Amino acid sequence: MSGATLFDKIWNAHAVADLGDGYALLHVDRHLLHDLGGGRAVMDIKEKGLALRNPGLTFATPDHAISSAPGRAGTSETGKRLLNDLRTLSHEYGVRLFDVGEPGQGIVHVIGPELGLSLPGALIVCGDSHTCTHGGMGALAFGIGSSEVTHVLATQCLIQRRPKRLRVSFEGARAAGVTPKDMILYLIGRIGAAGGTGYAVEYAGGAVRALELEGRLTLCNLSIELGAKMGMVAPDDTTFAYLAGRDFAPKAELWDEALAYWRRLPSDDDAVFDREERIDMAAVAPQITWGTSPEQVIAVSERIPDPAGIADPGKRRAAEAALAYMGLAPGTPIAGTRIEHVFIGSCTNSRLSDLRAAAAVAKRGKVAPHVRAWVVPGSETVKRQAEAEGLDRIFRAAGFDWREPGCSMCLAANGETVPRGERSVSTSNRNFVGRQGPGARTHLASPAMAAAAALAGAIADVRTFGG
Amino acid sequence: MDKFTQLKAIAAPLLRENVDTDIIVRIERLVGATFRNELGRYAFEAWRLRPDGTEDPDFVLNREPYRSAQILLALDNFGCGSSREGAVWALKQRGFRAVLAPSFGDIFFNNCYQNGVLPVIMPNSAVQALARQVEADPGRKLVTVDLVRQVVVAPDGGETAFAIDRLRREALLDGLDDIGLTLKRESEIAAFQAQDRARRRWIWAVETGR
Ligand code: SF4
């Protein structure tokens, strides 16, 4: 018999019951709630006359609906109500809340790892599709819908069908200017936004092993943009070093027990995957999206594709519609395209390492006069650490706005939007039609590329920029 | 949950790939939305409405008879992106009870079942063929989705069988929701947790604080 994959090991350890046909009732170790769904879920629980089964395994924080303006000044009435719902939930049901202004608050997918709540081998869910981010810790983590959130609160379990297994091996070394964001965007460009649908993805290979933990979170974050609900990286010494000493990570003899368990998690050498993909890192350059699906992506040195050259009729029509929406001309180099906005933030790229990379570029100039550039740290802790290092001063001196932690312009709540017809380079994960506001034109890129665009006032190649 | 057995209805061809849940319903319509039944009018608003707020007559769901369609024909990766269940609520409020596509976003796919909406996986060629028949005479060429027999019946009578997991099929036919099913397994959950507390103490330590 062949060995087991990382995915199989975690799935099997959480199967409370086999429901037949590949379905299982799975135990949930960590459940994260945010302001968009938290209050609503508890209302559902009340209406149905249910109780919270294990409130000690659920953790809450506001991120989506609060303003990122200084002092949270822009929070809408609805946003305030949603925050109050979370506070009520926390008081009534004993769910630990990380409230505005205190360490621990932040984007759910930033705080889980940062607090040591997200652990290798754990099964983690949240009513948000980017829960796949936590897979970077060696966890099995995925997004769920509101009904499923209610289900977890009431039963601490979920009914799921076992997905197939895909291993993506990134082999070779990262070239200069190439970040984890570029690796995952390149992969999505290669196999498509539906390329991972129905799979749990394990990212492997030398280039993944060489990544710091935060980079692994970025890689896993865009699994859902690949169509995969779950993405993961096997835990190793990098993971353990990151976790040691974090607030909610196991301590003392529990740490030793956990460590022994975690070391057995990586896929066995003879494990078989349903599918394998291999990416040669020599082919990966800094990426930028040109369309309205993350699969519509090219290297920043390339030209905007001409739909006429796309054989598949569905993809050709999609490309035509995307170029019309984005206001781009086929055949022209994408570098040099004028932009008006830059957003550095989101659960993809708002951690300390991302801000350091952006600041290293921001140091070299000033934000172009016609550009509004925002830096939104992913959590209160990231914000404080960045300030302790002086990153906020670098950004401010260069003309960036330094804001309060949350989702902000990634999803365009609280009027934090890109105006119709205007163009943004964003470090977030979705370039969908209207994602950053009705009519907004979004180009996805890495933090360094976004900072370079802010200074240049146009899409720029970070490798040659200001050199 | 609403039952689903058989549906004979107008089918609207929305033949695009990668239709994401942001397009199905915008986030600001969901933030704080208390009433799920108000979401129907916001379904696909970025495509249905022009920047000045008037309807775009070119968009399929703005045309008769598709305004009253209950079946949606779509292409690969329908419902990709955000986990928002509001996307399913908006579709359902708009009248849709079945979506026929070659593939779906995984989370959207699950959310459909939680709301009595049937997602049917059909080959691209079969969806396109249905769309061609429907477009020939949209008002009268109805499509039947039969969950009992697990077939889609085209206007010309041609049948395409589809697969669906037994668990999901039974829940839809009987209108059962997952929570009810799982609550019946309380003793199994309790047994699992009791064992797990000893096996993985490090997972459970958070319950008692840091
Ligand atoms: S930062 Fe964006 S993608 Fe991430 S959780 Fe917030 S809204 Fe979702």
Side-chain angles (χ1 to χ4, degrees):
Chain A
M1 215 183 83
S2 59
T5 66
L6 166 64
F7 164 81
D8 294 312
K9 293 179 192 184
I10 305 181
W11 178 282
N12 294 344
H14 289 82
V16 173
D18 181 352
L19 306 178
D21 290 342
Y23 279 82
L25 184 65
L26 296 176
H27 188 263
V28 172
D29 299 333
R30 298 284 184 268
H31 180 208
L32 304 171
L33 285 175
H34 53 74
D35 49 1
L36 265 196
R40 158 105 237 165
V42 176
M43 225 163 72
D44 271 1
I45 286 276
K46 277 189 184 160
E47 275 170 21
K48 293 192 159 80
L50 301 165
L52 256 64
R53 197 180 189 295
N54 296 94
L57 299 182
T58 293
F59 298 84
T61 195
D63 55 3
H64 285 71
I66 51 169
S67 159
S68 69
R72 308 287 183 189
T75 304
S76 66
E77 286 311 310
T78 309
K80 288 180 193 156
R81 179 163 60 73
L82 292 174
L83 175 55
N84 271 327
D85 286 352
L86 272 196
R87 288 176 177 152
T88 310
L89 147 81
S90 140
H91 285 135
E92 277 185 34
Y93 292 91
V95 167
R96 178 76 151 92
L97 170 72
F98 303 99
D99 208 336
V100 171
E102 65 182 37
Q105 183 272 330
I107 306 172
V108 267
H109 314 309
V110 174
I111 68 156
E114 171 185 286
L115 290 167
L117 284 169
S118 311
L119 300 174
L123 194 145
I124 305 169
V125 301
C126 171
D128 187 282
S129 59
H130 288 101
T131 309
C132 49
T133 311
H134 308 253
M137 304 291 304
L140 181 59
F142 52 94
I144 56 179
S146 338
S147 299
E148 291 176 315
V149 167
T150 307
H151 188 284
V152 173
L153 288 173
T155 69
Q156 203 55 39
C157 292
L158 258 184
I159 295 175
Q160 290 290 304
R161 186 168 79 162
R162 196 180 190 111
K164 291 177 285 183
R165 297 149 306 180
L166 163 62
R167 177 162 60 189
V168 180
S169 304
F170 290 87
E171 299 297 354
R174 268 193 287 152
V178 174
T179 71
K181 179 70 161 286
D182 302 302
M183 292 166 67
I184 188 69
L185 282 175
Y186 178 84
L187 174 67
I188 297 168
R190 275 281 301 270
I191 71 173
T197 304
Y199 290 92
V201 184
E202 180 175 342
Y203 303 101
V208 172
R209 292 263 71 83
L211 288 180
E212 289 302 321
L213 198 280
E214 293 188 354
R216 297 177 185 183
L217 297 172
T218 301
L219 195 66
C220 289
N221 176 268
L222 277 96
S223 300
I224 189 71
E225 275 61 55
L226 190 67
K229 201 156 81 164
M230 311 159 185
M232 56 215 306
V233 173
D236 58 12
D237 287 339
T238 302
T239 323
F240 311 143
Y242 172 91
L243 265 177
R246 300 223 167 232
D247 282 358
F248 290 83
K251 304 274 153 47
E253 81 276 10
L254 290 190
W255 172 264
D256 299 334
E257 266 181 52
L259 198 59
Y261 186 98
W262 296 340
R263 288 201 187 281
R264 293 194 298 270
L265 287 172
S267 296
D268 298 331
D269 289 341
D270 57 344
V272 177
F273 289 78
D274 298 288
R275 185 176 145 206
E276 299 254 15
E277 294 284 343
R278 193 176 181 283
I279 299 293
D280 178 2
M281 287 301 295
V284 186
Q287 305 284 299
I288 184 127
T289 62
W290 53 268
T292 55
S293 164
E295 72 180 27
Q296 292 168 327
V297 65
I298 50 177
V300 65
S301 49
E302 288 183 281
R303 286 169 187 273
I304 296 161
D306 187 346
I310 302 176
D312 178 281
K315 298 245 181 264
R316 190 185 324 127
R317 272 198 305 276
E320 285 163 356
L323 289 179
Y325 178 83
M326 294 295 289
L328 294 172
T332 49
I334 196 155
T337 306
R338 183 185 158 102
I339 59 145
E340 291 86 24
H341 302 267
V342 163
F343 171 58
I344 297 171
S346 89
C347 56
T348 313
N349 281 131
S350 63
R351 299 178 183 82
L352 196 57
S353 55
D354 300 313
L355 303 190
R356 283 178 183 153
V361 175
K363 241 188 217 148
R364 300 179 358 214
K366 292 264 185 277
V367 172
H370 66 277
V371 171
R372 179 190 72 167
W374 285 11
V375 184
V376 182
S379 71
E380 184 67 29
T381 301
V382 169
K383 183 178 174 227
R384 292 183 190 188
Q385 287 171 339
E387 288 174 351
E389 286 184 16
L391 300 184
D392 61 321
R393 290 194 296 281
I394 294 174
F395 285 122
R396 285 197 170 109
F400 288 81
D401 277 12
W402 177 251
R403 300 178 66 94
E404 299 289 339
C407 296
S408 182
M409 227 199 293
C410 172
L411 90 162
N414 290 307
E416 299 181 15
T417 58
V418 174
R420 185 179 291 284
E422 296 192 10
R423 193 177 298 285
S424 165
V425 174
S426 293
T427 64
S428 48
N429 43 44
R430 286 186 176 142
N431 53 348
F432 297 159
V433 166
R435 171 74 179 188
Q436 293 193 290
R441 294 164 168 169
T442 302
H443 296 268
L444 304 176
S446 73
M449 284 274 290
L455 304 201
I459 293 172
D461 188 335
V462 67
R463 295 167 300 184
T464 51
F465 174 76
Chain B
M1 197 181 76
D2 296 335
K3 291 185 186 187
F4 190 107
T5 49
Q6 198 206 52
L7 172 69
K8 184 171 188 180
I10 293 170
L14 182 67
L15 299 184
R16 306 195 195 203
E17 292 183 348
N18 298 327
V19 172
D20 59 74
T21 54
D22 273 80
I23 270 290
I24 300 174
V25 67
R26 294 189 51 77
I27 192 70
E28 65 261 30
R29 304 304 185 189
L30 291 176
V31 174
T34 323
F35 303 108
R36 295 174 186 188
N37 54 12
E38 286 180 355
L39 293 174
R41 59 191 158 112
Y42 299 125
F44 297 112
E45 65 180 305
W47 283 342
R48 270 196 312 108
L49 304 180
R50 293 183 288 210
D52 64 3
T54 58
E55 281 196 354
D56 180 350
D58 289 339
F59 185 61
V60 58
L61 299 184
N62 285 338
R63 298 204 301 262
E64 295 297 350
Y66 300 125
R67 281 177 186 278
S68 43
Q70 290 177 272
I71 298 170
L72 196 60
L73 306 177
L75 297 185
D76 259 317
N77 209 19
F78 185 84
C80 61
S82 156
S83 60
R84 62 189 66 172
E85 198 160 320
V88 180
W89 302 335
L91 287 178
K92 194 175 176 191
Q93 276 302 313
R94 176 96 199 171
F96 292 106
R97 289 298 307 278
V99 186
L100 282 44
S103 63
F104 291 88
D106 285 341
I107 305 175
F108 175 86
F109 192 69
N110 272 358
N111 286 342
C112 283
Y113 289 120
Q114 308 295 333
N115 292 279
V117 172
L118 174 61
V120 178
I121 299 175
M122 284 180 89
N124 186 296
S125 56
V127 175
Q128 304 265 11
L130 270 182
R132 277 194 300 275
Q133 285 193 41
V134 165
E135 281 168 338
D137 187 357
R140 274 180 299 193
K141 301 286 188 188
L142 302 184
V143 172
T144 303
V145 180
D146 188 337
L147 181 58
V148 181
R149 293 172 50 230
Q150 285 183 232
V151 289
V152 172
V153 188
D156 69 0
E159 296 193 348
T160 310
F162 63 88
I164 176 171
D165 296 312
R166 182 184 48 84
L167 192 91
R168 295 304 187 195
R169 178 172 177 272
E170 286 172 7
L172 278 176
L173 289 175
D174 297 335
L176 299 175
D177 69 12
D178 283 356
I179 296 184
L181 294 174
T182 301
L183 286 172
K184 289 190 193 142
R185 294 181 178 269
E186 170 52 32
S187 60
E188 282 167 88
I189 299 171
F192 177 94
Q193 288 195 344
Q195 262 189 358
D196 199 53
R197 280 174 196 277
R199 191 176 56 113
R200 295 187 307 155
R201 294 195 297 161
W202 46 275
I203 277 290
W204 293 89
V206 291
E207 278 190 317
T208 47
R210 300 178 183 198

